Amino acid sequence: MGNPKELTRAEVVRAANHFRWTRRGAKWTVIVGERELPARPLVLEAAGVPPNDPINSHQAVEILRRLGFETRYAKDRREMEIKEREEPSEKESGSILEMVSAVTREVPEHEWERVPADLSKNVDHYLYGSKRTDQ
């Protein structure tokens, strides 16, 4: 059993490669490679100490930052998600013409070829099955 304050970056990376965490809701996380893992449990795992070790999340985050890892706080993540939802996309901002234009750019060319040439005159026919009007 080691001391979490004496961890090396290599020990944290090694522990992260084999780390399994099924719980949700960790307030502090760390980015190791392409994975986002809970900070305190990872530090405890890397040090080989039991989960009831007195080290707290803030101390674990400081250890990880000292070793050069990116850490995140759940509140910051939630604020970013809210901000992303609040910022209108190209489809949601601007005039109706800009919105329609943004949507129609996503439709593949071969799908446009399937649109009937007389759609504007016979829209009721194509939507509801009413009688066709002559061209």
Side-chain angles (χ1 to χ4, degrees):
M1 295 220 195
N3 181 353
K5 295 178 181 178
E6 297 173 359
L7 280 175
T8 65
R9 184 175 176 85
E11 291 171 326
V12 173
V13 170
R14 191 175 319 114
N17 289 337
H18 304 290
F19 190 77
R20 300 289 173 256
W21 187 257
T22 56
R23 295 187 213 166
R24 290 181 169 235
K27 288 186 179 181
W28 284 99
T29 59
V30 59
I31 307 300
V32 181
E34 295 181 6
R35 297 176 66 198
E36 186 171 6
L37 303 167
R40 181 178 179 270
L42 179 62
V43 167
L44 298 179
E45 177 79 20
V49 296
N52 62 349
D53 189 84
I55 193 168
N56 65 37
S57 295
H58 297 283
Q59 292 168 324
V61 167
E62 285 308 310
I63 291 167
L64 293 166
R65 285 182 181 160
R66 176 180 51 82
L67 295 172
F69 290 101
E70 177 187 349
T71 58
R72 295 180 181 170
Y73 184 60
K75 181 181 176 190
D76 297 337
R77 221 176 20 252
R78 274 189 245 119
E79 286 175 358
M80 284 176 32
E81 289 169 1
I82 290 169
K83 186 177 179 183
E84 287 172 358
R85 282 191 300 245
E86 288 175 353
E87 291 178 5
S89 68
E90 183 181 349
K91 292 178 193 172
E92 298 167 340
S93 64
S95 70
I96 187 76
L97 182 59
E98 290 169 341
M99 287 186 271
V100 171
S101 178
V103 171
T104 57
R105 279 195 300 270
E106 296 175 8
V107 179
E109 190 63 37
H110 68 276
E111 292 296 328
W112 284 116
E113 293 168 3
R114 295 178 54 200
V115 177
D118 63 341
L119 178 63
S120 64
K121 290 184 180 181
N122 290 302
V123 69
D124 287 338
H125 167 72
Y126 292 108
L127 290 178
Y128 310 115
S130 61
K131 253 186 157 177
R132 262 185 143 140
T133 58
D134 292 332
Q135 293 183 345

